[in-house]
Structure formats: structure tokens, C-alpha cells
Amino acid sequence: MTQHHTILMTPGDGIGPEVMEEVRKIIAHLNQKNATNIDLIDRPIGGAGIDRDGVPVTPETIEIGKKADCVLLGAVGGPKWADIDYALRPEAGLLKIRKDMELFANLRPAIVFDALIEASTIKPDVIRGLDILIVRELTGGVYFGEPRGITPLPNGERQGLNTQIYTTSEIVRVAKVAFELAQKRNKKLCSCEKANVMESGKLWREEVEKLGADYPDIALSHMYADNCAMQLLRNPRQFDVIVTDNLFGDILSDEAAMLTGSLGMLPSASLGARDAEGHQNALYEPVHGSAPDIAGTGKANPLAAILSFAMALRFSLDGPQLADALEEAVRQVLNQKIRTADIMDRECELVSTSQMGDAVIKELAKV
Ligand code: IPM
Ligand code: MG
């Protein structure tokens, strides 16, 4: 019998609910074929949470997320909630669920599909065959560091303050994940920080270097984050796995996404530590945001959300073959020149969010 799994579904705001609808359709299809036996528990997050519960995420939702096999999240945020205090904004809900579930390792793969090579603004020769993985630290650094805030100064000025802070254990646990992933890939790891100007970066480099002794099979290199931003454009295929902190990872992963043609293609997995019973907290979300400007127009690309679900099948739902099949279905759909607006190209067929989901299911049904 197919193993039973429970997933917390938090569609969120903007295009989040639209792209997650396509994931729902895929889950319904797999359930119906008995390939999976997945129950979904739905909860609002972000602005949708503020509107319903007065907070962007409730403690109950986080408890459900911890007990579930994983969380599938759409996107959060939008102009409607832009003036709310930081602590209660839609984004605070996302940061809180990441923090409370201790999802310290954020995996952001950037893969260039052959069929999409023309969709990138970068020359085809530079990106052909690109397959890199950014491992972003997700529960520390300047995103969470204290003290923080905006305070008035005696001279009438105001001061904005955030704190970049990392402890050795925070660095080591995410670096371990990166080393282990590199072992399953091309055995190259590049660690990025600003050790030339930041103490937290110096500590980062020293700890990663020390840990490297445990992984003699991995070619470890270190790079300043600004150089990494430049190298990603100059010669992205020099990289295999990149490990970096929360803020640099946020920026470098958007850059890596655009190498692939569209932010609408990039999935992500956020993982916690595995406990003694083998359970691992996990959350999967597309890297793109809530894109309020196109919400409700049917223009959103659901492939990042669908590929995030493929990552969930692989890492949380014991379904590596299903993950392969779903990724292959996406590849086939792209080969058939079926495109949403963000990846539209000459002589391709422009489809809506839901037509894209249908096309993936049609391919999936063949395997
Ligand atoms: C991301 C996003 C988030 C972040 C925002 C929405 C808080 O940009 O997941 O990359 O900065 O982490
Ligand atoms: Mg980001």
C-alpha cells in the first residue's frame, strides 16, 4: 500500500494561491493513480493570515507544519500590507515559520533547461547545461540578529540598526549540509562571505575551512560574495554547490535564478535537522515572490511551485522516482514549446497558469 503522508499547504498571497492550485491538481492526480496517498491541511499565511487571524502565521499553523511530512508554501506579501509594522507583515510570517521550524538549510538549485536557453538574458554558450545549487543559511544572520530597530537620536536624526551575527554551530550545521550535497554531485563546494570586511565572514570562512578536513573528497574554495556575484555572470559553470549566509544567499539566488531565464522556474527546499525518529522539518516554496502585479491574470508560471513539489517528493515523501518523473514531465512540456508569459519565446505556444499545470499532468500521465 502507498505510504500515507500529510502536507501543510500554505498558499499565501498574490500568485501564491494560483501556482499552488496547480500543485494541488498534480497531487490529486497522483493520489487518484495511487502513486501517492497525500492529505492536505490548508492554512493561510502572510497577508492572507493577517486578514483572517490578525497575524501572518499562527502558532497552530506552525505546530501543524512541524507534525506534517512537509509544508508547501506559495508566496507572501503585497501592497495591501506594505505599511504594517515589520513584526506583523506578511514577510514576518514566512520568517517566523522558517525560524520556529528551524529550517536552517535552504537549497536553491538553478538549472538551465535546454529548451529555455534563449529565455535567459545571458549568452547561451555561458549557461548551456548549467546546474548549480545554492545552499543558503536561513535562520540566522542579519535577518534575525538583535539588536535591531529604528530609533531616534538626540541630534534629531533617526538610526536604522540590524545585526549580522553567526555562531560556530550555525555555520557548521549548514556547511555540513552543503558538503554532503556536494558529495552527491560534482564534489565542488564554494563558500561565500565577506571575510575581508566582516568578522562574521571571517568566522564563517575559518569554520568552513576547518570542517573541510572531514570531507577530503570535496574541492573546497572560498570567495568573497561580491566576487561570487560577478563570477555567476562571467562563468557560472565553474560552480557546483555554493554555501553562503542568509542575506548573501537571498541575493545570489535571485541572480542565479535569472541565469536560468526566469525567476518563475526556481524551486527551493528548506530543511531542518533530522531527529532521532527520522523526522525532518521541511518546507518547499518557489523562489519567486507573490508578484501582486500579475496576480489573478493567469500569467503566473506554476513550474517553480511544481518543481518545489518535486523536491518535496524527493526529500520528504520517499518518492525519488516520482520526483524524477515530475521533473521529466516539466522538461517534456518545455520541449513542446509550451510557455507561460515569463518564458515566452518565438514560435512557442503561450498558455495560462492552469493550462501549464494541465500540460504537466498530461505528460506525467504518460509515465
Ligand atoms: C526569499 C524572499 C524572502 C527573503 C522575503 C519574501 C522575506 O526574498 O525567500 O528569497 O528575503 O528571504
Ligand atoms: Mg529573495
Side-chain angles (χ1 to χ4, degrees), residues 12 15 18 48 52 98-101 128 136 144-145 147 151 189 198 231 233 254 258 304 327:
I15 62 170
E18 298 163 39
R52 199 191 79 160
R98 287 173 177 172
K99 185 76 172 173
D100 288 3
M101 289 180 68
R128 187 168 286 115
R136 168 187 176 193
F144 296 96
T151 46
L189 177 63
M198 296 163 77
Q231 295 293 341
L233 292 182
D254 267 28
M258 274 320 286
E327 285 166 358

Side-chain angles (χ1 to χ4, degrees), residues 74-339:
V76 299
K80 184 176 171 195
W81 309 279
D83 295 329
I84 303 176
D85 195 58
Y86 273 109
L88 283 175
R89 276 209 202 168
E91 289 79 0
L94 180 57
L95 298 183
K96 186 165 170 54
I97 198 167
R98 287 173 177 172
K99 185 76 172 173
D100 288 3
M101 289 180 68
E102 290 181 81
L103 305 170
F104 61 86
N106 180 218
L107 282 43
R108 299 188 161 188
I111 293 169
V112 171
F113 289 90
D114 275 341
L116 285 188
I117 202 139
E118 296 291 337
S120 176
T121 52
I122 310 293
K123 290 192 186 114
D125 283 351
V126 177
I127 51 166
R128 187 168 286 115
L130 181 74
D131 179 352
I132 60 180
L133 175 65
I134 296 186
V135 179
R136 168 187 176 193
E137 199 293 322
L138 201 61
T139 52
V142 75
Y143 271 62
F144 296 96
E146 300 279 350
R148 63 185 297 161
I150 300 179
T151 46
L153 296 178
N155 67 1
E157 284 205 85
R158 293 195 305 151
Q159 174 182 271
L161 173 68
N162 291 92
T163 304
Q164 164 79 343
I165 182 164
Y166 273 108
T167 59
T168 49
S169 62
E170 284 177 310
I171 297 166
V172 168
R173 65 181 181 175
V174 72
K176 264 190 188 157
V177 171
F179 274 110
E180 280 162 23
L181 288 163
Q183 281 180 322
K184 294 187 195 136
R185 296 174 45 104
N186 289 328
K187 303 196 169 19
K188 271 167 63 180
L189 177 63
C190 179
S191 171
C192 293
E193 25 54 19
K194 284 284 288 178
N196 50 345
V197 283
M198 296 163 77
E199 281 76 7
S200 59
K202 186 171 182 303
L203 184 74
W204 184 284
R205 185 174 288 222
E206 287 170 5
E207 291 301 322
V208 174
E209 181 64 25
K210 236 191 283 171
L211 190 64
D214 296 346
Y215 299 89
D217 52 331
I218 301 298
L220 172 66
S221 61
H222 303 275
M223 204 180 262
Y224 298 140
D226 53 344
N227 186 21
C228 180
M230 187 270 279
Q231 295 293 341
L232 274 172
L233 292 182
R234 195 183 73 87
N235 176 18
R237 280 179 309 212
Q238 71 185 280
F239 297 108
D240 177 22
V241 180
I242 293 173
V243 64
T244 190
D245 78 11
N246 205 342
L247 182 60
F248 295 140
D250 181 45
I251 296 165
L252 295 175
S253 62
D254 267 28
E255 189 187 352
M258 274 320 286
L259 295 174
T260 73
S262 170
L263 206 46
M265 292 297 301
L266 230 75
S268 82
S270 305
L271 306 174
R274 203 172 279 288
D275 69 17
E277 282 93 58
H279 176 80
Q280 181 178 40
N281 284 349
L283 181 150
Y284 300 86
E285 58 178 318
V287 171
H288 64 68
S290 57
D293 52 321
I294 59 162
T297 64
K299 281 190 191 157
N301 183 349
L303 292 180
I306 290 171
L307 291 169
S308 298
F309 176 59
M311 292 185 89
L313 285 167
R314 181 167 289 118
F315 292 116
S316 294
L317 305 171
D318 304 310
Q321 282 105 350
L322 280 179
D324 288 345
L326 185 52
E327 285 166 358
E328 185 53 30
V330 169
R331 191 170 285 116
Q332 288 308 326
V333 167
L334 294 172
N335 287 343
Q336 291 159 14
K337 296 181 177 284
I338 295 172
R339 301 279 191 276

